[in-house]
Amino acid sequence: MPVTIRDVARASGVHVSTVSRSFSAPHLVNPETRTHVLAVAEELGYRPNRAARALITGRTHNIGLIVADIANPFFPPLIKAAESHARSRDYHVFVADTSEDAGVEEELVLALAKQVDGILLCSPRMSNTQIEQLSREVPLVVVNRPVPGLPAVVMDLGQGARLAVEHLVALGHRSIALLGGPRGSWTNREIRRAATLAARTAGAELTVFGPNPPTEEGGAAQADAIARAGATAVLAYNDLMAVGLIDALDHNGVKVPDQISVVGIDDTALSRRIRPMLTTVATPTAAAGRAAVDMLLQHGDDRRTTALVTLQTELVIRDSSGPGPHRTAGPGRRQGPPPDGVALTSRE
Amino acid sequence: MPVTIRDVARASGVHVSTVSRSFSAPHLVNPETRTHVLAVAEELGYRPNRAARALITGRTHNIGLIVADIANPFFPPLIKAAESHARSRDYHVFVADTSEDAGVEEELVLALAKQVDGILLCSPRMSNTQIEQLSREVPLVVVNRPVPGLPAVVMDLGQGARLAVEHLVALGHRSIALLGGPRGSWTNREIRRAATLAARTAGAELTVFGPNPPTEEGGAAQADAIARAGATAVLAYNDLMAVGLIDALDHNGVKVPDQISVVGIDDTALSRRIRPMLTTVATPTAAAGRAAVDMLLQHGDDRRTTALVTLQTELVIRDSSGPGPHRTAGPGRRQGPPPDGVALTSRE
DNA sequence: TGGACGGCTACAAACGTTTGCAGCAGAACC
DNA sequence: GGTTCTGCTGCAAACGTTTGTAGCCGTCCA
């Protein structure tokens, strides 16, 4: 016995269409009538049925948000920001988790397609062509990967990786390991590309270890290989892997940063919580969530015109990176980007 | 130009009702007809419009999941488990975040009410009467709080707090601080009740510091007061606060566990990542998420009969708790519950 | 051989909205 | 005083499904 628009119409002595317009087209109805209708609706506790509305208007006022792994600390701030931003625009958010599986990803997009006005696809593992294909079923905004012809929000991790490598080289490291992320990740390729270039430019050697699952275990698993290879510094695909690596190194008696420097990526909450505090590349995840929602909601051609939003990253220097064997006189290692607090707040 | 049931009907030469039944009531349609219809539907890429289905059946096949703070590491595993479990039963999940605000909480329940078949209300900050009132609008399952007459899933944190206090007393602590959580949290009251009782029973003194926001800052803020009060051990409302506290103590030159022991609650991923690794009360969050979904989906009277599910907690002893001043001969502090790995997997 | 029945399908109403169109009153204009 | 216009409201169709009912045809049993 939920109260419908008809109940409100009856109780306020007007036609349903007038009630409808009182809500969705106020300028078409007499102000007096409208306030009366709204009062009655309020009293009856009327809430429009969005399914019915969706049926006729074709717009659900829902959006989908698909991530690889909710439990990965990179995503919650993004989800939180996207959800809250969407809600402020009267949209609700379906959240789904693919468990890093491209198949599940596709399935989820298809399953959600008819139920949402668009989908935020975060860090997809599918191929570009698959994504393009799906974008014909439902509007898509891709996060953390540029897909030709589709609106996307990416972090400039090329720059981030370059900053990280330059930082390590400046500290005196010449043999750097890149702890790679998952296969299929654009971010991973981008980091690899930029890090390789930066290392070559700076005259350092960079070795890639991977691909690996983007988890602590993935990082830990490469600890031996990296130590054995004689690298004195590591750039990890993300904070989680950096943490796993540091732990495994520590377990093997290798001290960070004394013997090996480790730099993470993402600046998740985790990076300030572990010891040594993690030097890492900060990515503006909350801003990315909001930007993606904005792109999705400004429908039509606009979406094409602002097709790619690139957000800046920055290096946050903490305690997990220290002097390397080739250290020359130079700036103190604490110099560089502003201290944590400032960096973190100013990024917003 | 999305393909509807009518397109399928036309293309396969049958009536729409036959198409509909081919999907939702297979036994009512001739097997041959059905396979043909399904083939045509597949070929056309037909996906039933859930809004339309919801309109007529009254069931949306969506559920709402409302949490206090997505970024709090306690919630992601719960969300993940709930989402995946719901999806396996062909339900999709709206996730929303209240920012620990009771007002937003109510608003969200109402906003979601018409759009879902039920809502999982996690760690609500509202009053019981408010919750009961809302449950007349939409089926509710409460997590982390028992509400009379409503189905609920709770963790036995009374037991957890007791175990923690007994552990600390066994280590020789007689002056214990309880780092309280947020006002309005049932869990907080429960912990307080059980810890107080356990301390009294064991002949120890327990002082409550709080309420506090359930964040690192909330924990850090009480570090001075706790140290000044001369407590030698602390039981914190959650891991996040424990971490903040440990950090602040460390910053003041107070060593954990040498000078003060700290025990957390929740066993979030964080607790194994920080140093010292956190002794904490493990809560089965993933199991809670699944149980809550199950309770919600077994509609009708059943929901009443299994109105309260209580999940067991257990103490996971790690490195943040150590001997206190009144240590007597006794079991080594490493004894007790099984080691991490076992405890963590067996809990599932 | 007639009737009952069972298996299958078509018909049409309904779900709760939105929205183009028509109608109506009064104001404004000439 | 007629016409046009404006502001408001009612009417009814439509959105894409589900589902109760009725109809058809063939089979079975007596």
Side-chain angles (χ1 to χ4, degrees), chain B residues 8 17 21 23 56 66 89 97 117 154 199 218 235 264 273 280 323:
Chain B
V8 178
S17 58
R21 278 190 264 260
F23 285 97
I56 185 88
I66 299 182
R89 289 155 150 272
D97 176 309
D117 295 342
V154 300
L235 173 59
R273 287 175 183 151
T280 186

Side-chain angles (χ1 to χ4, degrees), chain A residues 92-250:
Chain A
H92 291 145
V93 178
F94 282 112
V95 175
D97 177 310
T98 68
S99 306
E100 301 269 351
D101 182 319
V104 176
E105 215 168 84
E106 177 173 17
E107 214 174 276
L108 274 172
V109 171
L110 257 21
L112 247 31
K114 282 281 183 21
Q115 236 182 146
V116 299
D117 295 341
I119 294 181
L120 268 39
L121 201 52
C122 302
S123 308
R125 302 289 179 248
M126 288 184 286
S127 69
N128 273 8
T129 55
Q130 260 180 304
I131 295 177
E132 277 162 23
Q133 192 135 2
L134 287 176
S135 79
R136 283 201 286 273
E137 301 286 327
V138 54
L140 244 41
V141 170
V142 189
V143 177
N144 276 345
R145 168 143 148 203
V147 176
L150 286 188
V153 177
V154 301
M155 324 272 195
D156 191 354
L157 279 176
Q159 185 206 22
R162 182 173 59 74
L163 289 176
V165 168
E166 288 173 359
H167 165 66
L168 291 171
V169 171
L171 282 170
H173 297 280
R174 294 294 176 272
S175 176
I176 302 175
L178 178 61
L179 181 55
R183 193 184 304 278
S185 157
W186 171 83
T187 298
N188 190 42
R189 290 195 295 278
E190 187 66 7
I191 292 169
R192 178 172 176 162
R193 183 192 59 70
T196 305
L197 178 63
R200 188 182 314 145
T201 306
E205 189 186 346
L206 187 130
T207 319
V208 178
F209 294 80
N212 307 289
T215 60
E216 281 179 287
E217 291 71 28
Q222 295 283 5
D224 276 348
I226 288 176
R228 224 179 303 119
T232 64
V234 184
L235 173 59
Y237 170 75
N238 67 14
D239 286 354
L240 222 43
M241 296 184 70
V243 169
L245 174 67
I246 290 176
D247 243 37
L249 289 173
D250 188 68

Side-chain angles (χ1 to χ4, degrees), chain B residues 149-171:
Chain B
L150 287 188
V153 177
V154 300
M155 326 271 195
D156 191 353
L157 279 177
Q159 185 205 21
R162 182 174 59 74
L163 290 175
V165 168
E166 286 173 0
H167 165 65
L168 291 171
V169 170
L171 283 171

Side-chain angles (χ1 to χ4, degrees), chain A:
Chain A
M1 47 157 54
V3 31
T4 78
I5 201 175
R6 238 177 291 270
D7 300 322
V8 178
R10 202 174 307 122
S12 48
V14 298
H15 195 263
V16 288
S17 57
T18 303
V19 177
S20 174
R21 278 188 270 258
S22 295
F23 284 97
S24 45
H27 58 284
L28 289 180
V29 39
N30 185 316
E32 281 182 44
T33 315
R34 176 161 183 262
T35 48
H36 177 227
V37 167
L38 293 189
V40 171
E42 171 70 25
E43 190 190 359
L44 262 50
Y46 167 72
R47 305 234 153 203
N49 180 325
R50 294 177 90 133
R53 178 179 293 178
L55 195 55
I56 185 87
T57 62
R59 323 206 57 230
T60 63
H61 266 245
N62 292 147
I63 71 183
L65 176 53
I66 299 182
V67 301
D69 178 11
I70 297 176
N72 179 330
F74 173 79
F75 289 111
L78 192 152
I79 299 173
K80 183 174 175 130
E83 191 268 333
S84 133
H85 194 57
R87 183 145 40 89
S88 75
R89 290 154 148 275
D90 197 24
Y91 275 74
H92 291 145
V93 178
F94 282 112
V95 175
D97 177 310
T98 68
S99 306
E100 301 269 351
D101 182 319
V104 176
E105 215 168 84
E106 177 173 17
E107 214 174 276
L108 274 172
V109 171
L110 257 21
L112 247 31
K114 282 281 183 21
Q115 236 182 146
V116 299
D117 295 341
I119 294 181
L120 268 39
L121 201 52
C122 302
S123 308
R125 302 289 179 248
M126 288 184 286
S127 69
N128 273 8
T129 55
Q130 260 180 304
I131 295 177
E132 277 162 23
Q133 192 135 2
L134 287 176
S135 79
R136 283 201 286 273
E137 301 286 327
V138 54
L140 244 41
V141 170
V142 189
V143 177
N144 276 345
R145 168 143 148 203
V147 176
L150 286 188
V153 177
V154 301
M155 324 272 195
D156 191 354
L157 279 176
Q159 185 206 22
R162 182 173 59 74
L163 289 176
V165 168
E166 288 173 359
H167 165 66
L168 291 171
V169 171
L171 282 170
H173 297 280
R174 294 294 176 272
S175 176
I176 302 175
L178 178 61
L179 181 55
R183 193 184 304 278
S185 157
W186 171 83
T187 298
N188 190 42
R189 290 195 295 278
E190 187 66 7
I191 292 169
R192 178 172 176 162
R193 183 192 59 70
T196 305
L197 178 63
R200 188 182 314 145
T201 306
E205 189 186 346
L206 187 130
T207 319
V208 178
F209 294 80
N212 307 289
T215 60
E216 281 179 287
E217 291 71 28
Q222 295 283 5
D224 276 348
I226 288 176
R228 224 179 303 119
T232 64
V234 184
L235 173 59
Y237 170 75
N238 67 14
D239 286 354
L240 222 43
M241 296 184 70
V243 169
L245 174 67
I246 290 176
D247 243 37
L249 289 173
D250 188 68
H251 195 261
N252 295 353
V254 181
K255 291 300 169 201
V256 174
D258 301 347
Q259 294 170 263
I260 292 191
S261 288
V262 175
V263 176
I265 290 180
D266 287 347
D267 192 26
T268 57
L270 188 55
S271 64
R272 283 186 308 282
R273 286 174 184 154
I274 62 155
R275 296 295 175 273
M277 284 169 73
L278 196 62
T279 294
T280 186
V281 177
T283 53
T285 48
R290 285 189 293 268
V293 169
D294 283 339
M295 293 182 82
L296 192 60
L297 297 192
Q298 63 188 40
H299 41 278
D301 303 335
D302 298 7
R303 236 186 20 238
R304 292 272 158 177
T305 62
T306 60
L308 182 65
V309 169
T310 303
L311 300 173
Q312 294 309 302
T313 61
E314 66 186 56
L315 183 66
V316 179
I317 301 180
R318 298 206 181 89
D319 306 329
S320 66
S321 57
H326 298 269
R327 183 73 187 286
T328 59
R333 53 175 288 270
R334 265 287 167 210
Q335 290 192 7
D340 295 352
V342 178
L344 289 171
T345 52
S346 72
R347 240 197 359 272
E348 292 294 284

